[in-house]
Each structure stands twice: as C-alpha cells, then as structure tokens.
Amino acid sequence: MDRGGSGKSSLAVTLGTATGLPVIELDKHFWGPDLEATPPEKWATLQSDLAQAHQWIMDGDLGPYDVLNVRLRRADTVILLDYSFWPCAWRAMRRSRERLDFWIWLWSWRRRSLPSLLKAITEEAGDARLHVFRDPRATAAFIAQVTARQEPGKS
C-alpha cells in the first residue's frame, strides 16, 4: 500500500521472485478497459476470491476506490511505502499519463489517505507485521533481508 508511483509493483515482483509467492496486481483486476472503477460490492467479492489462496503478495492501493478490509483481514504482513511526493510524482510521470483524480490523490495522500489507511490496518490487520518504509534505501534493506532468508543455509 502506498502513495502512487512509489514502486509498489516493482517491490511486489521482487518479493514474489525472492519468496516464490504468487503476486496479484490489484490494478489489473480493478480497472475496466476505459479505466472505469469496479463497484465496491463487486470489488469486495473479487478481492475475497483472490485472497482465498493460502499465501500471496497483493500489490495495490486504489485510493478512494478501494475496499481494504477484505484483504487486510487475510494479511499476515503489510508493507506501506510512505515516500515523499516528488519522487512518486516523477515516477508516475515517467510511466504513463494519469487522470486528474490520480494527481489530486497523489498530492493529498499523506494528509487524506494515510491516516485512514493506518486506521484500517490497525482495525483489520492488527496481528499482521507492519513495515513502513519512508525511502527506497529502507525498502532495499528489507528486500536484502528477505532474499538472505530465502537462501539455503540462512534463517
């Protein structure tokens, strides 16, 4: 979960490769062909189906469109990328053209989305391990730890 453009998809793929866990990119399941949002009731059901697997890595923060509680209830680990606005905006500009509502969400994420996100994590995933990374170096150190644990002879 994160502010858009922080690299959550790349992180999910890297963790999936390191752990062998399947990666579920929520954007691919949520957005319709013309970027229409999946209705909340349907999205909750779809996430419930996706989260039925024993283990997974789900990548996504759909901002005001999201229904978090479904996947948070099943999570044993939550990673929150709380990077500053400018690096996220730069990555978002480089990757694709985004709609105005994306930019408004990106700009106001820490003020509007982060508090409710933290509240949802506390309420719905209270037993999960929570990792909050504020910069790419901290995230890279975490990836190195996960990768080292997966190597034979390491624990």
Side-chain angles (χ1 to χ4, degrees), residues 5 16 19 21 25 29 35 37 41 45 53 87 91 94 111 115 119 121 126 133 135 142 147 149:
T19 62
L21 296 176
E25 188 177 342
H29 296 276
L35 286 180
E41 305 79 32
T45 300
R91 284 185 189 166
R94 286 181 38 215
R111 188 178 74 258
K119 182 178 183 214
I121 292 167
F133 301 120
D135 62 64
F142 175 75
T147 302
R149 281 195 302 256

Side-chain angles (χ1 to χ4, degrees), residues 31-37 99:
W31 297 104
D34 294 322
L35 286 180
E36 70 271 3
R99 298 182 335 190

Side-chain angles (χ1 to χ4, degrees), residues 4 13 20 31 60 64 92-93 99 101 104 123 125 128 134 140 145 154:
V13 169
W31 297 104
M93 284 189 302
R99 298 182 335 190
D101 60 341
I104 292 168
E123 291 175 355
R134 291 191 168 45
Q145 289 176 340
K154 304 266 180 154

Side-chain angles (χ1 to χ4, degrees), residues 1-2 78-82 109 114 117-118 130-133:
M1 300 177 173
D2 74 327
V78 176
I79 298 173
L80 180 68
L81 302 178
D82 183 16
W109 188 81
L114 183 58
L117 188 56
L118 290 170
L130 173 61
H131 301 276
V132 179
F133 301 120

Side-chain angles (χ1 to χ4, degrees), residues 61-109:
D61 185 338
L62 301 162
Y65 302 105
D66 215 344
V67 180
L68 293 169
N69 62 336
V70 175
R71 65 185 182 272
L72 286 175
R73 287 181 192 143
R74 301 254 316 131
D76 63 11
T77 304
V78 176
I79 298 173
L80 180 68
L81 302 178
D82 183 16
Y83 297 174
S84 66
F85 170 78
W86 293 110
C88 294
W90 174 248
R91 284 185 189 166
M93 284 189 302
R94 286 181 38 215
R95 93 173 161 220
S96 66
R97 296 183 63 197
E98 299 287 353
R99 298 182 335 190
L100 179 60
D101 60 341
F102 170 85
W103 291 107
I104 292 168
W105 170 69
L106 187 71
W107 176 254
S108 63
W109 188 81

